[in-house]
């Protein structure tokens, strides 16, 4: 009898937890009405969330304590949406935002005199690498020039 009572209490507890969650759906679009794929939809203040599909739609189970959704995507401004108790579908339009790049570094092979080059340069000669018993070129260069990152 005691086991049956404990089992019944546990079943009621877990059933109550299932009903405490709310399921919502929605669609994320841009200013022109085009769907935004791979937008992040999270419960504000938590890491619980989902990602939109190619059509911009999403589905998410919310705990009872959730009050706001945070929707963000690359190239768009983050938007916060208040969750209403009576709604189960949320349509959100994100506005595009442009960010200026402060610094761009382009590397390549050029013929330039060392006196005109403004960066740091190191020369690794064949004398330093001739008798290194390594199989690949990147392993030979590893540790030969300061600041060199080989991947």
């Amino acid at each position: 009898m005691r086991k049956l009572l404990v089992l019944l209490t546990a079943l009621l507890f877990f059933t109550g937890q299932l009903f405490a969650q709310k399921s919502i759906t929605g669609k994320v679009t841009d200013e022109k009405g085009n769907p935004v794929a791979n937008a992040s939809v999270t419960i504000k203040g938590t890491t619980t969330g989902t990602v939109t599909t190619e059509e911009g739609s999403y589905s998410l189970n919310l705990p009872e304590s959730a009050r706001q959704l945070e929707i963000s995507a690359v190239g768009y401004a983050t938007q916060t949406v208040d969750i209403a108790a009576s709604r189960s579908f949320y349509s959100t339009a994100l506005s595009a935002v442009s960010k200026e790049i402060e610094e761009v570094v382009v590397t390549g092979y050029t013929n330039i005199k060392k006196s005109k080059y403004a960066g740091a340069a190191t020369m690794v000669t064949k004398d330093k690498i001739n008798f290194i018993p390594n199989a690949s070129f990147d392993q030979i260069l590893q540790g030969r020039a300061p600041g060199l990152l080989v991947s």
Side-chain angles (χ1 to χ4, degrees):
M1 182 69 182
R2 186 174 183 182
K3 288 181 184 180
L4 181 63
L5 185 61
V6 169
L7 181 65
L8 188 58
T9 305
L11 184 63
L12 287 173
F13 175 74
F14 288 122
T15 305
Q17 290 294 323
L18 288 175
F19 288 119
Q21 289 188 349
K22 178 181 175 182
S23 179
I24 63 166
T25 58
K27 185 167 184 172
V28 179
T29 59
D30 62 5
E31 295 167 327
K32 298 177 183 175
N34 299 323
V36 177
N38 298 323
S40 175
V41 180
T42 58
I43 300 169
K44 189 167 185 174
T46 68
T47 57
T48 305
T50 188
V51 178
T52 59
T53 63
E54 289 182 13
E55 295 83 28
S57 60
Y58 65 90
S59 177
L60 184 62
N61 289 327
L62 302 175
E64 197 65 34
S65 61
R67 299 291 176 241
Q68 291 180 325
L69 292 177
E70 195 169 65
I71 302 171
S72 62
V74 176
Y76 295 95
T78 302
Q79 188 169 355
T80 304
V81 177
D82 291 327
I83 300 170
S86 60
R87 291 180 57 191
S88 63
F89 184 81
Y90 294 87
S91 181
T92 307
L94 297 179
S95 58
V97 64
S98 62
K99 294 182 180 177
E100 293 183 23
I101 298 174
E102 294 178 12
E103 183 175 296
V104 176
V105 177
V106 179
T107 60
Y109 297 102
T110 61
N111 293 328
I112 189 168
K113 291 183 179 181
K114 191 172 181 180
S115 61
K116 293 186 178 181
Y117 184 65
T122 301
M123 182 180 274
V124 179
T125 61
K126 67 178 181 175
D127 298 334
K128 292 183 181 178
I129 62 174
N130 262 350
F131 299 105
I132 304 295
N134 288 344
S136 66
F137 182 70
D138 60 339
Q139 289 176 346
I140 292 171
L141 289 179
Q142 186 73 39
R144 302 282 178 228
L148 176 68
L149 176 64
V150 179
S151 58

